Amino acid sequence: MSAQANRVMALSEWENRWQEGRTGFHRPQVHNLLENNLDKVVCGRKEVRFFFPLCGKAVDMKWLADMGHTVVGVEISEKGIKQFFAEQNLAYNEESVSAIPGAKLFKSADGKISIYQCDLYKFSSAVAGKFGGIWDRGALVAINPCDRQKYATLLISLMNNDCRYLVDTMEYNPELYKGPPFFVSEEDVKNAFGGGCDIELLQSVDGFEERHKSWGLDSLTEKVYLLTPKAQ
């Protein structure tokens, strides 16, 4: 981890990636680790409110909405948000957000998917309430390592008592690639979230893909954890 401790990405760098189409992190199909573990998140509940931090144009949002759940995402790139609605053939409305100056809310016409275009750290439960489910794919691994505690504090504050938070992490040799996505170990997850959540490793898979060779890597493990709020 020390190799990446001081690595910082500005929001403008993420914006530029969207503008230039450098979005190799986007997956055109529903994430297998979400599919495999959805039952453990939903637990038989109907109409769960899901939160997607740094959602990009994740197709998983439409997949969950089609099951009857509602989805709230936060994303800095307006281009990414508009691509989501266009690619999913969803009509949407656009409005300002009184609680966050400069932010916009993009909401599907049926009201099932709402995406806030803003800095994640300006978002709070005061803006959109708390959630029963969270799917964190490409968020914890994308934020600056120095911000992990701030991030965890925010995410924990968005969790209802019955919330079940699924987080996807990556482990590889951080000496070989500077990130993002950043190396996140089980210890890192526990250090960030352990104060407020119980943490269970659900699945560990070989996540190495051809594109990872260009990062200088020859192996990469994806691990998915289930976080639940500690009983108050």
Side-chain angles (χ1 to χ4, degrees):
M1 167 57 212
S2 57
Q4 298 180 341
N6 300 317
R7 170 92 166 111
V8 172
M9 283 271 291
L11 287 178
S12 58
E13 291 183 70
W14 288 108
E15 287 261 41
N16 290 341
R17 286 189 174 203
W18 279 101
Q19 292 300 332
E20 295 163 12
R22 291 187 296 125
T23 53
F25 48 80
H26 174 70
R27 294 177 70 113
Q29 63 284 328
V30 173
H31 200 292
N32 58 310
L33 293 176
L34 176 62
E35 274 191 294
N36 293 354
N37 296 286
L38 184 64
D39 289 350
K40 295 185 181 77
V41 180
V42 173
C43 288
R45 296 175 295 168
K46 305 282 185 211
E47 299 175 14
V48 176
R49 292 189 81 228
F50 271 90
F51 181 60
F52 275 61
L54 311 184
C55 61
K57 56 178 183 176
V59 299
D60 309 5
M61 295 189 284
K62 173 76 161 47
W63 186 65
L64 289 171
D66 286 344
M67 289 182 196
H69 305 301
T70 53
V71 172
V72 174
V74 171
E75 169 57 49
I76 192 63
S77 170
E78 182 170 328
K79 183 169 187 176
I81 296 170
K82 288 183 170 174
Q83 282 180 7
F84 169 77
F85 286 106
E87 289 170 11
Q88 301 301 325
N89 294 312
L90 291 172
Y92 66 92
N93 305 306
E94 190 179 323
E95 54 195 74
S96 57
V97 182
S98 58
I100 311 174
K104 293 180 187 172
L105 168 59
F106 294 81
K107 194 169 189 174
S108 63
D110 65 6
K112 289 202 163 183
I113 301 173
S114 303
I115 305 178
Y116 289 83
Q117 190 233 332
C118 66
D119 177 346
L120 179 67
Y121 300 115
K122 296 201 167 91
F123 189 79
S124 70
S125 59
V127 177
K130 296 193 178 191
F131 299 90
I134 299 173
W135 172 223
D136 182 331
R137 184 264 156 180
L140 178 60
V141 297
I143 59 156
N144 298 323
C146 59
D147 290 335
R148 276 185 197 148
Q149 199 56 63
K150 177 168 77 166
Y151 176 84
T153 300
L154 170 62
L155 271 287
I156 290 168
S157 76
L158 297 173
M159 297 172 81
N160 264 334
N161 292 339
D162 67 346
C163 184
R164 299 174 76 79
Y165 175 170
L166 198 64
V167 58
D168 180 32
T169 64
M170 293 183 181
E171 292 185 15
Y172 56 82
N173 183 347
E175 301 287 339
L176 298 176
Y177 177 63
K178 65 181 181 175
F182 297 107
F183 169 90
V184 177
S185 67
E186 185 162 0
E187 185 180 1
D188 293 330
V189 176
K190 287 177 174 170
N191 285 343
F193 291 94
C197 295
D198 292 318
I199 298 163
E200 177 189 357
L201 173 62
L202 294 184
Q203 199 176 356
S204 176
V205 299
D206 178 1
F208 186 75
E209 299 173 5
E210 190 67 26
R211 67 192 180 99
H212 297 141
K213 285 182 181 172
S214 67
W215 301 359
L217 300 178
D218 54 14
S219 67
L220 183 147
T221 303
E222 254 183 292
K223 291 184 177 176
V224 66
Y225 300 89
L226 181 67
L227 280 54
T228 49
K230 286 188 169 163
Q232 298 301 315

